[in-house]
Amino acid sequence: MPVIQAENLSKVFHIPQKDPGVAGAVKALFRPRFQPKVAVDDVSFQVAEGEVVGYIGVNGAGKSTTIKMLTGILVPSGGQVRILGRDPHRERVANARDIGVVFGQRTQLWWDLALTESLGMVARIYDVPPTRYRQLLDQFAEILELKDLLHVPIRTMSLGQKMRAELAATLIHEPKIVYLDEPTIGLDLIVKERIREFIQQQNREQGTTVILTTHDLGDIETLCRRVLIIDAGKLIYDGPLSLIKERFGKFREITFDTASPVTTFTLPTGAEVVAAEERKLVLRFDRTRATASQVAASLMNQLEVVDFSLAEPDLANIIKHIYQGALREDGGRRTEDGGRKAEDGRPELQASLGR
Amino acid sequence: MALALGRTVRRYGGMASMAPKFFLAYSIWVWMEWAVQTIALIITSFFWRAVYTDQTVIAGLAQSQTLTYVLLALIFAPFVHSTGMIYNFGYLLKEGQIAVELLRPLDFQAGQYVWRTAELWVGLILQVPLFIVALFLGMQPPLDPRLWAVFLVTAFLGHAVLFCFDWMLGCLAFYVTEIWGLSVARYGFTLFASGLLVPLALMPDWLAGILNVLPFAQALYVPLSFLTGIAPLSDAPRVWLAQLAALAVLLPLSRWVFRVAVRKVTVQGG
């Protein structure tokens, strides 16, 4: 049974509209006007227990609004959400016990208190037994390298330290579901790496279900097998990350190091030269027209190859391509794993989840 | 049942125990508060002595009685200031921090009440040095412990009534984006309506009658009137009954208002 169920979820905000100048301000005082803004539009998906799902999209696409509806903070304008069988808004307190949330730009810790006091308070609020709390605190302090920070007020911590502290506070009550809204925003590579390892460990050892929104595709590649892509409030992709790579990572690069300078050779079918140096050749090939082994074999028959390497498609470029409308352009083709058209006629790819 | 109660006490008790840490996080704030309040006590005592220069009694209140009242009112002002929810809700909404608060597995209103009451206690404890200063300025507090007991019961009941009323006012923050003006208006009105600056007994009867039944006076003027002899002790049961009746109406009403208002929450951005 899925732990998260979103069915035809929608959220419409009413944004105040004002004419410019003092006259506009006065007019708005007596006759306020509101413009409806559809932030989330008919989004449906399910998440099974123990899954780690990446939820991505450009700024303003509706990621955070969806997360806030899943957590029970916002009330959907349409559709429904069930989290562990509950309505998260109506049963807010019960729902809150089973979930943990990190908002990358907000904190649940108390600014003026030392970390240990904040964590102790969170543990009390969530009824964590004192012995279990001490075990988890030791464990988290070790993994997230918080030992030296336990007696430091939150306000004096760096961004990376705060985020590690935030993660500890989010997981100290061992929630069944964790929503991570941009948890690595603004962090350096080492901290990002540590946070990713921590999330992986929690998922592996505790079976924690994770929904992750991020602009950092490194997070997605490291943590998620499945991604949801939202664009202008609509879910345009729900499926394995590998399928996206396969569909949109059409071109792969293969680099050859040769024993002697490269002079002439015949390009294999579907391949083109990206770079050619004296003893190095970089080719790009269309994976739908040739396989890596075909390209490699063709070159090896013509040149004395010392070494070669194959580069997988770069996810950042693929996602950028999708954000720029690749799924819309590509939508005319129905895929064997369940591609379909959205009700508004816009092409949409919905991968079969097979769970 | 006992286990659930124990957990509830542990959760909310934990919150309450945090309040002193917040108050004492910045010691300069405590020192400044004492300095400003001491100046306020001194000016207030001089002002009322001046008012009584040519009279011994005004509207039935003797000089010593009024002086005791106004100085006690300043000392017990936390009873009316600690419930202000407009600015609090406005801040939570403006900063989007409401999202974090709503994610805590606590009854939001109960959590806020516990927090506010803990703040009130800390505020009252910090007023002890001012109480001593006020004694030197001519304050003559009663020594009868029954008066103090009645005062405390009335003040805490009044504080709960005012909290519920303020809670509903605070819910306006969900509908308007600018809450500073509203918050200042509430503060200004409270100064007079609670009897903090002037005893309501010195106001025209019709105005005092209106203000007396408003929640602001319930948290300060009404309890202080027992302590300063303005109202007889025998009035206490009637006052408590009225306060409990007000709570019986305002508590469910304030919870309903919040349930409706919270649907308007808009937390934009990540």
Side-chain angles (χ1 to χ4, degrees):
Chain A
M1 188 188 158
V3 289
I4 299 174
Q5 286 176 287
E7 281 172 33
N8 310 110
L9 203 55
S10 301
K11 183 69 189 176
V12 181
F13 291 117
H14 295 276
I15 313 292
Q17 300 286 303
K18 277 185 191 172
D19 294 332
V22 177
V26 173
K27 195 176 159 193
L29 198 63
F30 294 100
R31 189 176 282 188
R33 281 185 295 121
F34 296 92
Q35 176 85 32
K37 158 99 175 75
V38 181
V40 174
D41 189 2
D42 201 24
V43 165
S44 299
F45 60 87
Q46 296 184 344
V47 178
E49 189 179 355
E51 266 196 290
V52 182
V53 178
Y55 194 41
I56 58 177
V58 293
N59 286 333
K63 303 183 297 293
S64 294
T65 302
T66 311
I67 296 293
K68 282 166 195 142
M69 286 193 282
L70 298 181
T71 55
I73 297 168
L74 296 184
V75 187
S77 307
Q80 67 162 349
V81 190
R82 304 298 288 179
I83 305 297
L84 296 160
R86 296 189 196 102
D87 178 328
H89 181 73
R90 283 180 187 278
E91 297 168 81
R92 184 182 64 77
V93 174
N95 180 60
R97 294 206 164 281
D98 286 329
I99 66 167
V101 187
V102 169
F103 290 118
Q105 295 168 58
R106 306 185 203 291
T107 181
Q108 62 173 303
L109 299 166
W110 288 270
W111 191 245
D112 291 318
L113 297 189
L115 175 59
T116 184
E117 287 181 305
S118 268
L119 291 177
M121 186 58 220
V122 173
R124 279 178 84 157
I125 288 176
Y126 284 92
D127 293 331
V128 182
T131 46
R132 182 64 184 148
Y133 167 65
R134 277 191 292 276
Q135 276 175 359
L136 289 169
L137 184 61
D138 289 345
Q139 192 187 327
F140 290 178
E142 181 74 38
I143 304 167
L144 292 168
E145 295 188 11
L146 295 171
K147 277 182 183 164
D148 295 336
L149 301 173
L150 288 174
H151 300 286
V152 172
I154 307 299
R155 66 170 185 270
T156 63
M157 290 183 184
S158 70
L159 188 62
Q161 290 170 336
K162 267 183 219 144
M163 185 46 72
R164 284 183 280 143
E166 199 69 40
L167 270 174
T170 300
L171 288 149
I172 201 84
H173 67 287
E174 301 178 277
K176 292 176 183 146
I177 301 171
V178 175
Y179 303 96
L180 304 172
D181 194 359
E182 302 189 35
T184 56
I185 192 167
L187 303 182
D188 67 46
L189 289 172
I190 296 165
V191 177
K192 276 183 187 178
E193 192 64 29
R194 193 169 297 134
I195 285 175
R196 287 169 190 162
E197 280 168 17
F198 181 68
I199 295 165
Q200 273 179 323
Q201 190 196 24
Q202 290 297 309
N203 170 253
R204 198 172 49 240
E205 293 175 5
Q206 305 289 328
T208 311
T209 307
V210 179
I211 290 201
L212 170 73
T213 81
T214 183
H215 290 294
D216 188 324
L217 296 171
D219 293 345
I220 298 288
E221 282 204 284
T222 312
L223 298 168
C224 311
R225 274 197 229 151
R226 176 184 167 199
V227 288
L228 308 175
I229 303 178
I230 188 167
D231 178 34
K234 281 189 177 292
L235 194 65
I236 57 169
Y237 179 77
D238 176 357
L241 184 60
S242 56
L243 186 64
I244 288 187
K245 284 185 174 176
E246 210 175 288
R247 289 275 311 276
F248 297 99
K250 206 171 166 186
F251 293 99
R252 301 168 90 184
E253 279 186 5
I254 188 163
T255 304
F256 298 94
D257 292 319
T258 58
S260 51
V262 178
T263 49
T264 55
F265 62 92
T266 308
L267 271 174
T269 311
E272 62 186 27
V273 176
V274 175
E277 293 168 24
E278 197 180 359
R279 291 169 198 271
K280 192 171 198 164
L281 182 66
V282 183
L283 298 185
R284 190 168 78 147
F285 64 96
D286 183 340
R287 64 195 305 168
T288 61
R289 295 176 62 197
T291 64
S293 57
Q294 283 169 342
V295 175
S298 169
L299 262 290
M300 281 169 169
N301 284 337
Q302 301 177 63
L303 305 169
E304 195 182 341
V305 176
V306 180
D307 195 10
F308 75 93
S309 60
L310 183 69
E312 283 301 313
D314 176 33
L315 184 63
N317 281 328
I318 294 172
I319 298 295
K320 186 175 148 197
H321 194 50
I322 291 173
Y323 287 171
Q324 286 168 342
L327 274 174
R328 287 191 286 269
E329 289 157 16
D330 187 69
R333 293 186 310 180
R334 290 183 72 86
T335 65
E336 51 189 63
D337 31 10
R340 64 179 170 86
K341 271 190 176 238
E343 278 175 16
D344 64 356
R346 199 168 68 167
E348 183 179 19
L349 174 72
Q350 189 91 15
S352 163
L353 303 180
R355 277 179 300 276
Chain B
M1 176 78 176
L3 197 68
L5 185 67
R7 278 186 186 154
T8 306
V9 169
R10 191 167 173 265
R11 266 182 240 143
Y12 292 99
M15 282 193 76
S17 69
M18 305 250 290
K21 294 172 190 168
F22 276 87
F23 257 79
L24 302 173
Y26 302 96
S27 56
I28 184 71
W29 182 88
V30 176
W31 288 107
M32 289 305 294
E33 191 70 10
W34 276 336
V36 170
Q37 295 256 34
T38 302
I39 293 167
L41 287 173
I42 292 168
I43 291 172
T44 302
S45 75
F46 286 156
F47 172 79
W48 284 102
R49 280 174 203 280
V51 169
Y52 274 91
T53 305
D54 297 324
Q55 304 165 81
T56 50
V57 174
I58 301 175
L61 298 181
Q63 183 192 341
S64 63
Q65 202 176 9
T66 300
L67 199 57
T68 298
Y69 173 91
V70 290
L71 294 177
L72 282 172
L74 284 175
I75 289 163
F76 290 110
F79 275 105
V80 284
H81 290 326
S82 67
T83 59
M85 298 305 300
I86 302 172
Y87 187 75
N88 185 39
F89 277 175
Y91 166 79
L92 290 175
L93 286 161
K94 192 177 170 188
E95 299 296 316
Q97 200 62 16
I98 188 84
V100 173
E101 294 302 322
L102 290 175
L103 284 170
R104 300 196 197 283
L106 295 170
D107 181 284
F108 187 61
Q109 192 180 27
Q112 290 288 326
Y113 177 72
V114 167
W115 185 259
R116 297 281 150 178
T117 307
E119 273 188 346
L120 169 62
W121 274 108
V122 177
L124 290 177
I125 291 165
L126 289 176
Q127 300 291 73
V128 170
L130 298 171
F131 192 90
I132 295 164
V133 171
L135 289 174
F136 286 102
L137 293 171
M139 184 179 76
Q140 295 169 6
L143 298 174
D144 185 349
R146 286 180 311 153
L147 287 176
W148 283 99
V150 168
F151 164 74
L152 283 176
V153 172
T154 315
F156 276 98
L157 278 173
H159 175 259
V161 170
L162 184 55
F163 173 82
C164 292
F165 182 78
D166 265 336
W167 184 267
M168 291 189 284
L169 275 185
C171 286
L172 282 174
F174 288 91
Y175 297 89
V176 295
T177 39
E178 185 4 71
I179 44 83
W180 176 250
L182 206 58
S183 176
V184 170
R186 185 266 183 204
Y187 179 80
F189 184 70
T190 304
L191 290 181
F192 295 96
S194 67
L196 177 54
L197 287 186
V198 182
L200 299 191
L202 297 188
M203 294 184 184
D205 286 347
W206 64 269
L207 183 58
I210 293 170
L211 295 180
N212 224 342
V213 294
L214 290 181
F216 305 101
Q218 295 298 316
L220 196 68
Y221 176 74
V222 173
L224 276 181
S225 60
F226 288 119
L227 207 53
T228 51
I230 296 172
L233 213 51
S234 57
D235 275 1
R238 185 188 52 78
V239 168
W240 293 342
L241 210 61
Q243 287 179 324
L244 287 171
L247 265 181
V249 174
L250 289 178
L251 181 60
L253 189 61
S254 63
R255 291 182 75 79
W256 177 78
V257 168
F258 180 74
R259 259 204 310 278
V260 173
V262 80
R263 297 177 73 88
K264 303 291 288 183
V265 166
T266 305
V267 185
Q268 304 281 25

Coordinates of all heavy atoms in Angstrom, one line a residue, chain A residues 135-180:
Chain A
Q135 N 20.7 7.6 22.3 CA 21.3 6.7 21.2 C 21.4 7.4 19.9 O 22.4 7.5 19.2 CB 20.4 5.5 21.0 CG 20.7 4.3 22.0 CD 19.7 3.2 21.7 OE1 18.8 3.3 20.9 NE2 19.8 2.2 22.5
L136 N 20.2 8.0 19.5 CA 20.1 8.7 18.2 C 21.0 9.9 18.2 O 21.7 10.2 17.2 CB 18.7 9.1 17.9 CG 17.7 7.9 17.6 CD1 16.3 8.4 17.5 CD2 18.1 7.3 16.2
L137 N 21.1 10.6 19.3 CA 21.9 11.8 19.4 C 23.4 11.5 19.1 O 24.1 12.1 18.3 CB 21.7 12.5 20.7 CG 22.4 13.9 20.9 CD1 22.0 14.9 19.8 CD2 22.3 14.4 22.3
D138 N 23.8 10.4 19.8 CA 25.2 9.9 19.6 C 25.5 9.6 18.1 O 26.5 9.9 17.5 CB 25.5 8.7 20.5 CG 25.6 9.1 22.0 OD1 25.7 10.4 22.2 OD2 25.5 8.3 22.8
Q139 N 24.5 8.8 17.6 CA 24.6 8.3 16.2 C 24.6 9.5 15.2 O 25.5 9.6 14.4 CB 23.4 7.5 15.9 CG 23.5 6.6 14.7 CD 22.1 5.9 14.4 OE1 21.4 5.6 15.4 NE2 21.8 5.8 13.2
F140 N 23.7 10.4 15.4 CA 23.6 11.6 14.5 C 24.9 12.5 14.6 O 25.4 13.0 13.6 CB 22.4 12.4 14.7 CG 21.1 11.7 14.3 CD1 19.9 12.3 14.5 CD2 21.1 10.4 13.7 CE1 18.7 11.7 14.1 CE2 20.0 9.8 13.3 CZ 18.7 10.4 13.5
A141 N 25.3 12.7 15.9 CA 26.4 13.5 16.1 C 27.7 13.0 15.4 O 28.5 13.7 14.9 CB 26.7 13.7 17.6
E142 N 27.7 11.7 15.4 CA 28.9 11.0 14.7 C 28.8 11.2 13.2 O 29.7 11.7 12.6 CB 28.8 9.5 15.1 CG 29.9 8.7 14.6 CD 31.3 8.9 15.3 OE1 31.2 9.1 16.5 OE2 32.3 8.9 14.6
I143 N 27.7 10.8 12.7 CA 27.5 10.8 11.2 C 27.5 12.2 10.6 O 28.2 12.5 9.6 CB 26.2 10.1 10.8 CG1 26.2 8.7 11.3 CG2 26.1 10.0 9.2 CD1 24.8 8.0 11.2
L144 N 26.8 13.1 11.3 CA 26.7 14.5 10.8 C 27.8 15.4 11.3 O 27.7 16.6 11.0 CB 25.3 15.0 11.1 CG 24.1 14.3 10.3 CD1 22.8 14.7 10.9 CD2 24.2 14.7 8.8
E145 N 28.7 14.8 12.1 CA 29.8 15.6 12.7 C 29.3 16.8 13.4 O 29.6 18.0 13.2 CB 30.8 16.0 11.6 CG 31.5 14.8 11.0 CD 32.6 15.2 10.0 OE1 33.0 16.4 10.0 OE2 33.1 14.3 9.3
L146 N 28.4 16.5 14.4 CA 27.8 17.6 15.2 C 28.4 17.7 16.6 O 28.0 18.6 17.4 CB 26.3 17.3 15.3 CG 25.5 17.4 14.0 CD1 24.1 16.9 14.3 CD2 25.5 18.8 13.5
K147 N 29.3 16.8 16.9 CA 29.8 16.8 18.3 C 30.3 18.1 18.9 O 29.9 18.5 20.0 CB 31.0 15.7 18.4 CG 30.4 14.3 18.6 CD 31.6 13.3 18.7 CE 31.0 11.9 18.8 NZ 32.0 10.9 18.6
D148 N 31.0 18.8 18.0 CA 31.6 20.1 18.5 C 30.5 21.2 18.5 O 30.8 22.4 18.9 CB 32.8 20.5 17.6 CG 33.9 19.6 17.8 OD1 34.0 18.9 18.8 OD2 34.7 19.5 16.9
L149 N 29.3 20.9 17.9 CA 28.3 22.0 17.8 C 27.2 21.9 18.8 O 26.3 22.7 18.8 CB 27.7 21.9 16.3 CG 28.7 22.0 15.2 CD1 27.9 21.8 13.9 CD2 29.2 23.5 15.2
L150 N 27.2 20.8 19.6 CA 26.1 20.5 20.4 C 25.8 21.6 21.4 O 24.6 21.9 21.8 CB 26.3 19.2 21.2 CG 26.1 17.9 20.3 CD1 26.5 16.7 21.1 CD2 24.7 17.8 19.7
H151 N 26.8 22.4 21.8 CA 26.6 23.4 22.8 C 26.7 24.8 22.3 O 26.8 25.8 23.0 CB 27.5 23.2 24.0 CG 27.4 21.9 24.7 ND1 26.3 21.5 25.5 CD2 28.1 20.7 24.5 CE1 26.4 20.3 25.8 NE2 27.4 19.8 25.3
V152 N 26.6 24.8 20.9 CA 26.7 26.1 20.2 C 25.3 26.6 19.9 O 24.5 25.8 19.3 CB 27.5 25.9 18.9 CG1 27.5 27.2 18.1 CG2 28.9 25.5 19.3
P153 N 25.0 27.9 20.1 CA 23.6 28.4 19.7 C 23.5 28.4 18.2 O 24.5 28.6 17.5 CB 23.6 29.9 20.2 CG 24.7 30.0 21.2 CD 25.7 29.0 20.8
I154 N 22.3 28.1 17.7 CA 22.1 27.9 16.3 C 22.5 29.2 15.5 O 23.0 29.1 14.4 CB 20.5 27.6 16.0 CG1 20.1 26.5 16.9 CG2 20.3 27.4 14.6 CD1 20.7 25.1 16.6
R155 N 22.2 30.3 16.1 CA 22.5 31.6 15.4 C 23.9 31.8 15.0 O 24.2 32.5 14.1 CB 22.0 32.8 16.2 CG 22.7 33.0 17.5 CD 22.3 34.4 18.1 NE 23.2 34.6 19.3 CZ 22.9 34.3 20.5 NH1 21.7 33.7 20.8 NH2 23.7 34.6 21.5
T156 N 24.8 31.1 15.7 CA 26.3 31.3 15.4 C 26.8 30.2 14.4 O 28.0 30.2 14.1 CB 27.1 31.2 16.7 OG1 26.9 29.8 17.2 CG2 26.7 32.2 17.7
M157 N 25.9 29.4 13.9 CA 26.4 28.3 13.0 C 26.5 28.7 11.6 O 25.7 29.6 11.2 CB 25.4 27.1 13.1 CG 25.5 26.3 14.4 SD 24.4 24.9 14.3 CE 24.6 24.3 16.0
S158 N 27.3 28.1 10.8 CA 27.4 28.3 9.4 C 26.2 27.7 8.7 O 25.5 26.8 9.3 CB 28.7 27.8 8.8 OG 28.6 26.4 8.8
L159 N 26.0 28.0 7.4 CA 24.8 27.4 6.7 C 24.9 25.9 6.7 O 23.9 25.2 7.0 CB 24.8 27.9 5.3 CG 23.6 27.6 4.4 CD1 22.4 28.2 5.0 CD2 23.8 28.1 3.0
G160 N 26.1 25.3 6.4 CA 26.3 23.9 6.4 C 26.0 23.2 7.7 O 25.4 22.2 7.8
Q161 N 26.5 23.9 8.8 CA 26.3 23.4 10.1 C 24.8 23.4 10.5 O 24.3 22.4 11.1 CB 27.1 24.2 11.2 CG 28.6 24.0 11.0 CD 29.4 25.0 11.8 OE1 28.9 26.1 12.2 NE2 30.6 24.7 12.2
K162 N 24.1 24.5 10.1 CA 22.7 24.6 10.4 C 21.9 23.5 9.7 O 21.0 22.9 10.3 CB 22.2 25.9 9.9 CG 22.2 27.0 11.0 CD 21.6 28.3 10.5 CE 22.4 29.4 11.0 NZ 22.5 30.5 10.1
M163 N 22.3 23.2 8.5 CA 21.6 22.2 7.7 C 21.8 20.8 8.3 O 20.8 20.0 8.4 CB 22.0 22.2 6.2 CG 21.2 21.3 5.4 SD 19.4 21.4 5.6 CE 19.0 23.0 4.9
R164 N 23.0 20.5 8.8 CA 23.2 19.2 9.4 C 22.4 19.1 10.7 O 21.9 18.1 11.0 CB 24.8 19.1 9.7 CG 25.5 18.7 8.4 CD 27.0 18.5 8.7 NE 27.7 19.7 8.8 CZ 28.7 19.9 9.7 NH1 29.1 19.0 10.5 NH2 29.3 21.1 9.7
A165 N 22.4 20.3 11.4 CA 21.6 20.3 12.7 C 20.1 20.1 12.4 O 19.4 19.4 13.1 CB 21.8 21.6 13.4
E166 N 19.7 20.7 11.3 CA 18.3 20.6 10.9 C 17.9 19.2 10.5 O 16.8 18.7 10.9 CB 18.1 21.5 9.6 CG 16.7 21.9 9.3 CD 16.2 22.9 10.4 OE1 16.9 23.8 10.8 OE2 15.0 22.7 10.7
L167 N 18.8 18.5 9.9 CA 18.5 17.1 9.5 C 18.4 16.2 10.8 O 17.6 15.4 10.8 CB 19.7 16.6 8.6 CG 19.5 16.7 7.1 CD1 20.7 16.3 6.4 CD2 18.3 15.9 6.6
A168 N 19.3 16.5 11.7 CA 19.3 15.8 13.0 C 17.9 16.0 13.6 O 17.3 15.0 14.1 CB 20.4 16.2 13.9
A169 N 17.5 17.2 13.7 CA 16.2 17.6 14.3 C 15.0 16.9 13.6 O 14.1 16.5 14.2 CB 16.0 19.1 14.4
T170 N 15.2 16.8 12.3 CA 14.1 16.3 11.5 C 13.9 14.7 11.7 O 12.8 14.2 11.6 CB 14.3 16.6 10.0 OG1 14.4 18.0 9.8 CG2 13.2 16.0 9.1
L171 N 15.1 14.1 11.9 CA 15.0 12.6 12.0 C 15.1 12.1 13.4 O 15.1 10.9 13.6 CB 16.2 12.1 11.1 CG 15.8 12.3 9.6 CD1 17.1 12.4 8.8 CD2 15.0 11.1 9.1
I172 N 15.2 12.9 14.4 CA 15.4 12.5 15.8 C 14.2 11.7 16.3 O 14.3 10.9 17.3 CB 15.8 13.7 16.7 CG1 16.5 13.2 18.0 CG2 14.5 14.5 17.1 CD1 17.9 13.0 17.8
H173 N 13.0 11.9 15.7 CA 11.9 11.1 16.1 C 11.6 9.9 15.2 O 10.5 9.3 15.3 CB 10.6 12.0 16.3 CG 10.1 12.6 15.0 ND1 10.8 13.6 14.3 CD2 9.0 12.3 14.2 CE1 10.1 13.9 13.2 NE2 9.0 13.2 13.2
E174 N 12.5 9.6 14.3 CA 12.5 8.5 13.4 C 11.1 8.5 12.6 O 10.3 7.6 12.7 CB 12.6 7.2 14.2 CG 14.0 7.1 14.9 CD 14.2 5.9 15.7 OE1 13.6 5.8 16.9 OE2 14.8 4.9 15.2
P175 N 10.9 9.6 11.8 CA 9.7 9.6 11.1 C 9.6 8.6 10.0 O 10.7 8.1 9.5 CB 9.7 11.0 10.4 CG 11.2 11.4 10.4 CD 11.8 10.7 11.5
K176 N 8.4 8.2 9.6 CA 8.2 7.2 8.5 C 8.4 7.9 7.2 O 8.9 7.2 6.2 CB 6.8 6.6 8.6 CG 6.6 5.8 9.8 CD 5.2 5.3 9.9 CE 5.0 4.5 11.2 NZ 3.7 4.6 11.8
I177 N 8.1 9.1 7.1 CA 8.2 9.8 5.8 C 9.0 11.1 6.0 O 8.7 11.8 7.0 CB 6.8 10.2 5.2 CG1 6.0 8.9 5.0 CG2 7.0 11.0 3.9 CD1 4.6 9.2 4.6
V178 N 9.9 11.4 5.1 CA 10.7 12.7 5.3 C 10.6 13.5 4.0 O 10.8 12.9 2.9 CB 12.2 12.4 5.6 CG1 12.9 13.7 5.6 CG2 12.3 11.7 6.9
Y179 N 10.2 14.7 4.1 CA 10.1 15.6 2.9 C 11.4 16.5 3.1 O 11.5 17.2 4.1 CB 8.9 16.5 3.0 CG 7.6 15.7 3.0 CD1 7.0 15.4 4.2 CD2 7.0 15.2 1.8 CE1 5.8 14.7 4.3 CE2 5.9 14.4 1.9 CZ 5.2 14.2 3.1 OH 4.1 13.4 3.1
L180 N 12.2 16.5 2.1 CA 13.4 17.4 2.1 C 13.2 18.4 1.0 O 13.3 18.1 -0.2 CB 14.6 16.5 1.9 CG 14.8 15.4 2.8 CD1 16.0 14.5 2.4 CD2 15.1 16.0 4.2

